[in-house]
Amino acid sequence: MQSWYAYAGVAALMLAYIVVVGIYGQQSSLPLKKQCAAVCTYVQGKARLLAVRILKQGPIPQHVAFIMDGNRRFAKKAHMETPSRGHLAGFTKLTKVLEWCNDLGIKHVSVFAFAINNFNRSTEEVGALMGIARDKLRDLAENSELVNKYGVRIRVVGFRELLPEDVRESIEYAELKTRDNLGMTLNVCCPYSATDEISTAIRRLVEDVESGQLTAMDVSEAELEKRLQIPCPDLDILVRTSGQIRFSNFMLWQSAKMAYIQFVDAYWPEFSFYHMARILVSWQLVSGDIKRRKRASAD
């Protein structure tokens, strides 16, 4: 019996060691760091797949949006040389989140990549962001397993005339390469603002009435929604990271239609599958009530 306790104690110590190294692997100087980190990653991957299977037993949202906030503060917290390092970490996190959404069966994902008023930031930071957009959009379309294996379609929405020519070329390339894909749709909002989206839709309605394509009596909520830049199913969940409790002019029309709003107290590069699973479970618990309220408001 004593030997059994000894073995159990050793096993518990080894498990604790693996967990500690898995969590603090980047900073750890403990022996076997790489081996234990690899084991921890493997275990975490298997646990995530099991969690996905369990979550898919309940309702799955069709459209989820993310305000990817906190990249600059993450860079400062991690003592990175420039804010652009934080934005690169944010892109890496985006690819992970898209993998989770794809595994869960979410059909539409919208991300707030760059706001129109972000052009007011320093020339160096805007230039770095434009470079990331140019390179990563093309890389995502060419080399991503999400595109090549799972058929993700990339759409960029917003006032793209404000973007540099090389960024517009990357956008056109990514959209053209993925336009026939039938998997998840990724809406990259860049440069975007909700008020610009709504005012543009109204202007198009007016033009269509003036040209005779519509009559004044045809103008309706449904007709306006057809002219929005993000023509997706109703927004189910809106997530904002970094602990800030505000919309920052993102998808205001869509959010007003009973979207489930969640504010996460973590910078975007720190957003984890645990955060994602917790949000999804909480939405599943209220999704039936949301559907009933939508039907009641439509009657």
Side-chain angles (χ1 to χ4, degrees):
M1 180 65 72
Q2 289 181 345
S3 61
W4 188 90
Y5 283 132
Y7 286 131
V10 170
L13 285 172
M14 290 180 65
L15 179 61
Y17 183 90
I18 289 171
V19 171
V20 168
V21 173
I23 295 173
Y24 300 105
Q26 297 298 322
Q27 293 80 29
S28 175
S29 60
L30 295 173
L32 301 179
K33 178 178 72 173
K34 291 183 179 178
Q35 294 88 335
C36 290
V39 172
C40 188
T41 300
Y42 175 80
V43 172
Q44 288 173 342
K46 291 297 183 182
R48 181 176 64 80
L49 291 176
L50 177 60
V52 166
R53 285 191 174 188
I54 294 171
L55 289 167
K56 290 178 77 171
Q57 300 308 304
I60 295 296
Q62 291 300 293
H63 188 187
V64 179
F66 297 94
I67 301 176
M68 305 181 293
D69 192 30
N71 291 336
R72 291 190 297 174
R73 278 164 286 168
F74 173 79
K76 184 176 181 181
K77 175 184 175 182
H79 306 291
M80 295 178 171
E81 295 175 0
T82 61
S84 63
R85 298 280 185 176
H87 294 305
L88 284 170
F91 178 81
T92 300
K93 178 58 63 176
L94 172 60
T95 60
K96 282 291 183 186
V97 173
L98 292 176
E99 289 175 10
W100 304 339
C101 292
N102 184 71
D103 290 344
L104 287 162
I106 297 169
K107 296 299 183 183
H108 299 268
V109 176
S110 299
V111 297
F112 201 5
F114 193 85
I116 290 176
N117 62 11
N118 285 160
F119 283 111
N120 295 327
R121 294 182 179 179
S122 69
T123 303
E124 293 77 15
E125 185 175 359
V126 171
L129 284 166
M130 292 297 103
I132 291 171
R134 179 194 63 224
D135 298 338
K136 296 303 183 181
L137 271 173
R138 185 174 289 270
D139 186 58
L140 190 64
E142 286 182 341
N143 304 314
S144 169
E145 187 179 55
L146 285 166
V147 169
N148 296 325
K149 184 176 179 179
Y150 297 105
V152 169
R153 180 190 177 198
I154 300 171
R155 295 178 66 253
V156 178
V157 298
F159 197 171
R160 65 175 69 183
E161 290 82 0
L162 297 175
L163 296 170
E165 183 178 355
D166 58 348
V167 178
R168 295 200 302 271
E169 288 174 355
S170 289
I171 289 172
E172 291 166 4
Y173 175 82
E175 290 185 331
L176 182 63
K177 190 175 188 302
T178 65
R179 67 179 179 182
D180 296 324
N181 289 355
L182 301 176
M184 180 176 71
T185 296
L186 169 63
N187 298 302
V188 181
C189 300
C190 172
Y192 169 93
S193 78
T195 47
D196 176 70
E197 179 184 31
I198 295 168
S199 62
T200 299
I202 293 172
R203 185 168 60 252
R204 289 173 178 166
L205 267 178
V206 172
E207 290 171 353
D208 289 343
V209 171
E210 290 178 343
S211 67
Q213 296 182 48
L214 291 175
T215 68
M217 295 300 296
D218 293 326
V219 174
S220 64
E221 179 180 320
E223 287 294 336
L224 188 143
E225 287 184 347
K226 289 179 184 178
R227 291 157 178 81
L228 291 175
Q229 295 167 350
I230 308 177
C232 289
D234 281 356
L235 181 62
D236 294 306
I237 301 173
L238 173 66
V239 179
R240 184 194 180 115
T241 55
S242 85
Q244 297 291 317
I245 303 176
R246 51 194 171 89
F247 289 94
S248 293
N249 205 356
F250 181 60
M251 296 185 73
L252 299 179
W253 180 280
Q254 295 87 348
S255 299
K257 301 184 71 176
M258 299 188 192
Y260 189 62
I261 314 299
Q262 289 287 288
F263 298 102
V264 179
D265 192 13
Y267 299 137
W268 174 248
E270 298 171 330
F271 187 74
S272 67
F273 183 76
Y274 165 76
H275 292 116
M276 186 75 186
R278 180 179 58 78
I279 290 168
L280 189 55
V281 169
S282 63
W283 175 84
Q284 288 176 333
L285 292 173
V286 299
S287 61
D289 184 52
I290 292 173
K291 283 184 179 179
R292 285 191 292 272
R293 292 187 179 189
K294 282 187 175 182
R295 284 197 298 267
S297 65
D299 292 340

